[in-house]
């Protein structure tokens, strides 16, 4: 299942969630945050937690890694990248963003929170969050998808762990890339789980195909696979990157609250689309994907555009890996775009913009309305917005400083020039 950017019709504020424990709002929010309970709460079907993986890999010329590559532009900017990022094309029959190119990922399954994972990770049970590094961001400012105490909801699996399991499982289902580690490496992992690049697990093609089919049939088979193969989902190689919420009214009624993670591989692994939800895969540089989008050769959603533009700050994989590893412990913001319509173009306001509502949950139902304030901008201070002129024309307007030591996107028309200047 793919769900790559995210969100919620009427998102309760964090203060409401934490303080009004006796209210119906809090009870509904608690049920939503526990996937097992979600199945029984039919009133919350439109609220879906999801996880997505921005998977990058050093460029190679072998195998099927270059199944499709956009042509280089005259500036040669794309050739300055020494890595590619994996994009998957959704089926035309998909009910959510058909034909879109997305990062691997999908909806959280109750099995991702199953207590059966305790057996798989039993060597890490004495380590907080199974050995994941702690995040410095105060819990009261953390996005709810990360901050919710899952133990109080009946699951012994921390949210940070379950979300990574979801991202790894969905990546395996959709692309055949299996990011696990043999259990024999447990001792090394306990001492230093975060100091190397990730490597895909190598299985014979028949064995890989068998387990992929089983996991596609039932997500709980991902647990069974790890137990029988004696491997661990490599949760330690996934670095917290972002949290996007689907804006109202853009992609139909389905909305997702999605955690994004970054993972870096040294080489492009064998990749194969599932021919169901995913009909094509493409390993290309961030610059190539953006150029193909602008040339109307493929379509990506605004969150993908934003994140690829961020990645253009790092044409070298080692630099991107180091940054993602070091920055991940800072935390991240929850971003619910609030959209307004002005002069036949959508303006998607993001947190930090001077016109972003203090309580975005109250504005969610007001998306796609004309905002007179946008017509009278005395200056360019405190801008954080995505201007969408048409489905293939996006402009980023950003003057605010990123929080949590994150990156500013590289913005057009200076993209090619900035890339050259960084090398």
């Amino acid at each position: 299942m793919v769900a790559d950017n995210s969100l919620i019709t009427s998102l309760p504020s964090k203060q409401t969630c934490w303080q009004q424990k006796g209210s119906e709002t809090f009870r509904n929010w608690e049920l939503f945050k526990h996937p097992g309970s979600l199945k029984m709460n039919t009133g919350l079907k439109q609220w879906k937690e999801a996880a997505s993986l921005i998977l990058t890999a050093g460029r190679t010329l072998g195998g099927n890694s270059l199944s499709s590559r956009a042509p280089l532009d005259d500036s040669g900017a794309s050739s300055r990248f020494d890595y590619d990022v994996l994009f998957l094309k959704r089926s035309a029959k998909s009910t959510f963003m058909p034909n879109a190119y997305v990062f691997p990922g999908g909806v959280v399954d109750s099995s991702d929170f199953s207590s059966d994972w305790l057996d798989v990770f039993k060597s890490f049970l004495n380590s907080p969050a199974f050995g994941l590094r702690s995040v410095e961001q105060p819990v009261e400012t953390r996005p709810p998808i990360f901050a919710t105490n899952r133990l109080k909801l009946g699951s012994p699996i921390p949210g940070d762990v379950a979300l990574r399991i979801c991202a790894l499982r969905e990546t395996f289902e959709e692309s055949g890339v299996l990011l696990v580690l043999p259990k024999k490496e447990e001792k090394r992992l306990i001492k230093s789980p975060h100091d190397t690049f990730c490597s895909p697990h190598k299985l014979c093609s028949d064995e890989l195909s068998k387990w992929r089919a089983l996991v596609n049939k039932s997500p709980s088979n991902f647990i069974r696979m790890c137990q029988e193969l004696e491997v661990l989902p490599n949760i330690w190689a996934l670095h917290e990157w972002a949290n996007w919420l689907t804006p109202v009214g853009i992609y139909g009624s389905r909305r997702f609250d999605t955690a994004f993670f970054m993972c870096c591989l040294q080489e492009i692994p064998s990749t194969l689309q599932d021919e169901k939800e995913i009909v094509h895969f493409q390993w290309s540089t961030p610059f190539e994907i953006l150029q193909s989008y602008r040339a109307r050769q493929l379509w990506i959603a605004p969150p993908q555009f934003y994140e690829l533009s961020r990645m253009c700050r790092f044409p070298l994989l080692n630099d991107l890996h180091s940054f993602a590893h070091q920055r991940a412990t800072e935390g991240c913001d929850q971003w619910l775009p609030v959209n307004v319509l002005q002069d036949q173009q959508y303006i998607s306001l993001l947190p930090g913009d001077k016109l972003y509502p203090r309580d975005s949950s109250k504005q969610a139902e007001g998306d796609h309305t004309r905002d007179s304030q946008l017509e009278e901008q005395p200056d360019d201070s405190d801008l954080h917005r995505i201007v969408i002129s048409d489905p293939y024309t996006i402009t980023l307007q950003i003057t605010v400083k990123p929080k949590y030591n994150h990156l500013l996107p590289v913005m057009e028309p200076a993209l090619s020039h900035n890339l050259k200047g960084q090398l």
Side-chain angles (χ1 to χ4, degrees), residues 16-57:
T16 299
C17 291
W18 305 134
Q19 293 182 0
Q20 298 180 359
K21 294 192 176 183
S23 70
E24 186 64 23
T25 297
F26 184 85
R27 287 196 296 273
N28 285 347
W29 182 253
E30 291 275 80
L31 286 169
F32 159 61
K33 300 306 277 184
H34 185 214
S37 299
L38 177 60
K39 293 181 178 179
M40 297 183 293
N41 190 6
T42 56
L44 296 176
K45 283 184 177 179
Q46 63 183 339
W47 290 12
K48 301 285 187 180
E49 284 187 319
S52 188
L53 185 60
I54 304 174
L55 187 61
T56 64

Side-chain angles (χ1 to χ4, degrees), residues 77-343:
S78 182
S79 64
R80 298 177 182 273
F81 285 82
D82 69 352
Y83 68 90
D84 288 331
V85 59
L86 177 60
F87 265 81
L88 306 174
K89 184 180 181 181
R90 293 176 59 77
S91 167
K93 298 178 181 178
S94 174
T95 57
F96 183 73
M97 295 200 301
N99 295 313
Y101 278 75
V102 298
F103 300 121
V107 177
V108 171
D109 185 79
S110 58
S111 65
D112 300 324
F113 281 95
S114 171
S115 59
D116 289 340
W117 285 113
L118 296 177
D119 178 61
V120 176
F121 290 100
K122 59 186 176 184
S123 295
F124 296 86
L125 298 184
N126 291 328
S127 302
F130 296 5
L132 292 174
R133 294 176 298 163
S134 60
V135 175
E136 298 173 6
Q137 183 181 5
V139 67
E140 60 269 18
T141 66
R142 294 280 281 153
I145 195 170
F146 295 118
T148 299
N149 187 329
R150 310 290 174 154
L151 188 60
K152 291 183 178 180
L153 304 179
S155 173
I157 310 302
D160 285 344
V161 173
L163 291 166
R164 285 169 168 84
I165 289 173
C166 174
L168 293 168
R169 173 181 54 75
E170 288 284 348
T171 298
F172 179 48
E173 291 180 24
E174 296 172 345
S175 69
V177 178
L178 181 58
L179 303 176
V180 295
L181 292 166
K183 277 209 161 191
K184 62 185 180 182
E185 294 191 28
E186 283 181 334
K187 291 183 179 179
R188 178 188 66 80
L189 285 169
I190 292 172
K191 291 182 179 179
S192 183
H194 307 283
D195 60 351
T196 60
F197 277 87
C198 182
S199 298
H201 190 66
K202 295 181 179 180
L203 286 177
C204 69
S205 58
D206 289 344
E207 186 80 356
L208 191 71
S209 297
K210 180 192 82 171
W211 281 113
R212 187 181 180 193
L214 287 170
V215 175
N216 266 298
K217 184 177 181 180
S218 174
S220 63
N221 282 326
F222 194 53
I223 305 173
R224 177 184 159 200
M225 182 198 72
C226 290
Q227 291 171 330
E228 293 194 18
L229 297 181
E230 296 187 335
V231 294
L232 301 163
N234 196 348
I235 59 174
W236 307 278
L238 272 58
H239 307 300
E240 183 179 314
W241 187 260
N243 176 211
W244 286 85
L245 308 178
T246 309
V248 172
I250 295 290
Y251 309 111
S253 60
R254 299 188 68 186
R255 303 183 185 98
F256 301 91
D257 180 353
T258 305
F260 285 75
F261 299 96
M262 177 72 70
C263 180
C264 300
L265 309 177
Q266 288 185 316
E267 296 182 355
I268 293 176
S270 176
T271 313
L272 186 65
Q273 61 268 15
D274 64 9
E275 297 296 351
K276 295 178 182 177
E277 295 182 56
I278 304 302
V279 297
H280 179 68
F281 73 87
Q282 180 166 321
W283 285 97
S284 298
T285 70
F287 184 83
E288 285 173 346
I289 293 289
L290 291 172
Q291 289 293 86
S292 294
Y293 166 73
R294 294 187 183 98
R296 298 173 182 257
Q297 296 168 355
L298 56 80
W299 186 80
I300 56 176
Q304 281 76 18
F305 184 95
Y306 194 106
E307 299 305 345
L308 287 171
S309 299
R310 270 177 165 170
M311 294 168 69
C312 284
R313 293 283 176 188
F314 291 115
L316 301 182
L317 183 61
N318 280 334
D319 293 341
L320 176 64
H321 177 252
S322 295
F323 173 81
H325 174 264
Q326 294 171 13
R327 196 219 65 82
T329 57
E330 299 282 344
C332 70
D333 258 341
Q334 179 193 72
W335 285 2
L336 168 58
V338 172
N339 296 314
V340 295
L341 181 61
Q342 181 195 25
D343 298 331

